[in-house]
Amino acid sequence: GENVEQHPSTLSVQEGDSAVIKCTYSDSASNYFPWYKQELGKRPQLIIDIRSNVGEKKDQRIAVTLNKTAKHFSLHITETQPEDSAVYFCAASIGKAAGNKLTFGGGTRVLVKP
Amino acid sequence: NAGVTQTPKFRVLKTGQSMTLLCAQDMNHEYMYWYRQDPGMGLRLIHYSVGEGTTAKGEVPDGYNVSRLKKQNFLLGLESAAPSQTSVYFCASSSHGGGSETQYFGPGTRLLVL
């Protein structure tokens, strides 16, 4: 089955700096790659996603890039703010053929220092 | 529109006791999922359902059973709880339409097995 690895496990940045989280996946049939943000004690919430027919997607300070050949995708957060402190999870899915199941990475705890 | 709700929010069980966790969604989603999240780890899929009356095993199904008698509800049962099942349980749902893979999560159920 699909295996998703996520690095780093923790990331500390100064407010205003950029943060980058990287994930690799094993199943070349994966075609949907969401990123979730989870604040302490809360539910995971989707912040951005990308499909395999797109190489990059941006939404304000957040961007995701996908390299299908290398089977890796990354989350980029620019101009980080204290409210960006949370745990971020990447995931991969082969879509409807497998019930839209998601395989999650292990998470990255991001701390933005003021 | 409440989205995805879970009951109970928190429960303490003794080893060997049984319980049922309830997930309900009001978005008319076909697909529903149960995950567990252990400290410092990502989410792992326990069971999922692609429609009313259907269930399938995920990554970590042992010790759990599920039922989807109504489209809007997905029940997770623990027949004989073990300390290893201490975790936070999240339910999620998604649509089955093309391009609608986003999973929406419930607030979670925190379970402690003594």
Side-chain angles (χ1 to χ4, degrees):
Chain A
E2 174 71 282
N3 182 49
V4 177
E5 297 202 354
Q6 183 172 346
H7 299 282
S9 57
T10 59
L11 181 59
S12 181
V13 296
Q14 285 296 134
E15 183 177 356
D17 287 351
S18 294
V20 180
I21 303 170
K22 298 181 179 181
C23 290
T24 60
Y25 61 98
S26 61
D27 192 338
S28 57
S30 291
N31 56 23
Y32 174 66
F33 307 92
W35 286 87
Y36 283 83
K37 175 182 180 182
Q38 186 178 29
E39 297 176 350
L40 190 62
K42 301 288 183 64
R43 74 189 79 188
Q45 293 200 301
L46 181 75
I47 56 172
I48 195 167
D49 57 13
I50 191 168
R51 291 179 173 80
S52 58
N53 58 348
V54 175
E56 182 175 1
K57 183 177 179 180
K58 293 182 73 173
D59 183 2
Q60 300 184 339
R61 296 186 296 107
I62 293 173
V64 58
T65 58
L66 171 65
N67 183 326
K68 284 182 60 179
T69 303
K71 290 191 281 189
H72 68 70
F73 56 113
S74 300
L75 178 72
H76 304 252
I77 307 173
T78 59
E79 300 173 15
T80 53
Q81 300 169 5
E83 53 264 37
D84 294 329
S85 294
V87 179
Y88 292 81
F89 292 97
C90 64
S93 172
I94 66 171
K96 194 175 173 181
N100 288 348
K101 288 189 300 177
L102 292 176
T103 301
F104 284 86
T108 297
R109 185 174 300 277
V110 174
L111 175 64
V112 179
K113 295 183 285 186
Chain B
N1 191 331
V4 182
T5 58
Q6 293 181 232
T7 52
K9 289 184 172 56
F10 177 70
R11 183 77 183 267
V12 179
L13 288 179
K14 294 181 179 178
T15 297
Q17 287 185 319
S18 63
M19 78 165 294
T20 301
L21 285 68
L22 170 64
C23 175
Q25 52 93 6
D26 61 4
M27 297 176 283
N28 201 34
H29 284 168
E30 286 291 334
Y31 299 164
M32 296 187 74
Y33 315 84
W34 275 107
Y35 294 91
R36 62 176 288 173
Q37 184 176 36
D38 299 308
M41 296 184 66
L43 296 107
R44 293 183 292 169
L45 183 65
I46 304 171
H47 286 282
Y48 66 103
S49 169
V50 298
E52 183 178 318
T54 74
T55 62
K57 294 180 180 179
E59 181 186 352
V60 289
D62 294 343
Y64 305 95
N65 57 74
V66 287
S67 64
R68 183 103 181 265
L69 298 180
K70 293 183 179 180
K71 184 177 182 179
Q72 63 268 34
N73 296 338
F74 195 28
L75 304 179
L76 177 71
L78 286 74
E79 288 187 350
S80 180
S84 60
Q85 294 178 303
T86 292
S87 190
V88 179
Y89 292 85
F90 286 100
C91 175
S93 70
S94 75
S95 176
H96 69 291
S100 303
E101 304 95 331
T102 302
Q103 289 191 18
Y104 298 89
F105 284 81
T109 294
R110 194 171 297 273
L111 176 64
L112 175 62
V113 183
L114 302 176

